[in-house]
Amino acid sequence: MHDSKPTPPGGVAGRTALVVGGGRGLGRAVAIALAESGASVLAVARSPQPLLELRDLARARRLPLRVARGDAGRVVSVRAWLRAAGAGDRAPDILVIAAGDYWEGPLGRLTVERWESLVRSNTTIPLAILQEALPLMRRRRYGRILLFGVAGGETPRAAARAHGYRAAKVALLTLARSVAHEEAPYGITVNAILPGIIRPAFSGKQSDLVRRIPAGRLGSPREVARAALFLLAEESGYITGAALPVAGGYLL
Ligand SMILES: NC(=O)c1ccc[n+]([C@@H]2O[C@H](COP(=O)([O-])OP(=O)(O)OC[C@H]3O[C@@H](n4cnc5c(N)ncnc54)[C@H](OP(=O)(O)O)[C@@H]3O)[C@@H](O)[C@H]2O)c1
């Protein structure tokens, strides 16, 4: 049986994108990669300095990348970003949520405040952003959403010293799959990247870390961005609910 409608080709060129948590780390790498590939990007975060550096880099390289400051925990900021990243009341075509705090330590030091803060940053804030973005994307019947879990985070597993962080990431992935299921009829995909240990975020003793990674090295933000471009492409529209490890075999 032949489908009479040809699948439109397309990556991310010409698309609009909002990258929440685009000031540094993996979000920054994804924002740059999107802009290099022709998407018009708004990268947002709280701290001014990394954003100013990113803005200068974009200007120097003539990339279609703007920056804005704000806290993703404030719904007014999120609404303003969505408007600014899309066009008027249109949703951006692409939404990347890379913000997500990390904390590790023994269970006894995981205070309720720390637990709540990890859950807020890694689960509640992404949920609140999705709730703002999805009705707009539904209207357009198009959306490419990318979230960030953690290597090994497809299933619950023991996580020495990272109880709260990993619990929040497993919850995020469960949420992502549910939303992917609900939004598929509207042309919206929801996928997650599960990063392993990516430099330079981990400043610990690298030889100890590397010994635990089958690939024998840390990953690079660029490698994560490569996977992001794949999942965010127009032509990846049949891929949804996926959790893609970018981890060099770590925690498989
Ligand atoms: N890097 C890794 O090796 C690794 C491994 C596994 C999973 N991950 C996951 O991948 C994602 C990205 O990690 P990363 O290492 O790139 O993180 P990162 O270096 O901490 O960067 C996070 C970005 O999000 C911004 N951000 C945080 N909270 C925010 C808020 N409330 N409002 C607006 N912006 C906010 C931060 O800037 P401000 O603080 O200035 O706002 C920063 O730009 C996270 O979800 C992380 O859990 C990373």
Side-chain angles (χ1 to χ4, degrees):
M1 205 170 70
H2 292 285
D3 185 348
S4 55
K5 277 198 250 165
T7 309
V12 298
R15 295 291 179 182
T16 54
L18 171 61
V19 181
V20 179
R24 57 170 194 265
L26 308 186
R28 179 182 189 273
V30 173
I32 293 171
L34 282 167
E36 285 172 343
S37 305
S40 166
V41 181
L42 179 66
V44 302
R46 293 165 302 189
S47 318
Q49 199 50 40
L51 289 176
L52 291 175
E53 287 166 19
L54 183 57
R55 186 198 61 187
D56 291 347
L57 177 144
R59 279 187 185 161
R61 294 180 51 197
R62 294 176 187 277
L63 293 175
L65 190 160
R66 293 167 295 142
V67 300
R69 255 185 91 190
D71 185 347
R74 294 183 65 238
V75 75
V76 285
S77 301
V78 173
R79 284 185 188 147
W81 296 336
L82 286 167
R83 275 198 304 275
D89 60 352
R90 282 162 69 100
D93 300 306
I94 293 169
L95 170 64
V96 177
I97 307 177
D101 293 344
Y102 180 75
W103 183 83
E104 67 170 43
L107 188 63
R109 286 187 49 224
L110 178 61
T111 58
V112 169
E113 290 72 22
R114 275 195 173 123
W115 166 271
E116 287 181 345
S117 160
L118 285 166
V119 171
R120 179 168 168 71
S121 165
N122 285 287
T123 311
T124 313
I125 286 178
L127 166 69
I129 298 172
L130 290 176
Q131 284 173 324
E132 290 300 318
L134 287 170
L136 302 173
M137 286 183 166
R138 270 191 184 202
R139 256 192 258 153
R140 302 191 50 209
R141 301 188 84 79
Y142 187 88
R144 295 283 178 272
I145 297 174
L146 180 66
L147 303 171
F148 280 87
V150 64
E154 304 97 321
T155 48
R157 62 163 66 219
R161 298 175 60 81
H163 317 74
Y165 174 73
R166 278 200 169 259
K169 288 297 196 191
V170 172
L172 178 70
L173 215 56
T174 309
L175 174 71
R177 288 246 162 95
S178 304
V179 178
H181 185 268
E182 277 169 13
E183 300 303 324
Y186 302 95
I188 300 169
T189 67
V190 185
N191 294 295
I193 285 178
L194 311 181
I197 303 176
I198 310 297
R199 64 176 169 76
F202 287 80
S203 50
K205 218 173 137 202
Q206 294 215 346
S207 52
D208 292 347
L209 287 173
V210 168
R211 225 174 288 130
R212 288 151 53 195
I213 304 171
R217 62 175 179 86
L218 305 193
S220 76
R222 201 73 202 164
E223 287 171 307
V224 174
R226 186 76 212 133
L229 285 182
F230 166 66
L231 292 171
L232 293 170
E234 181 182 340
E235 56 206 354
S236 297
Y238 210 57
I239 302 172
T240 193
L244 179 61
V246 181
Y250 179 59
L251 289 186
L252 284 179

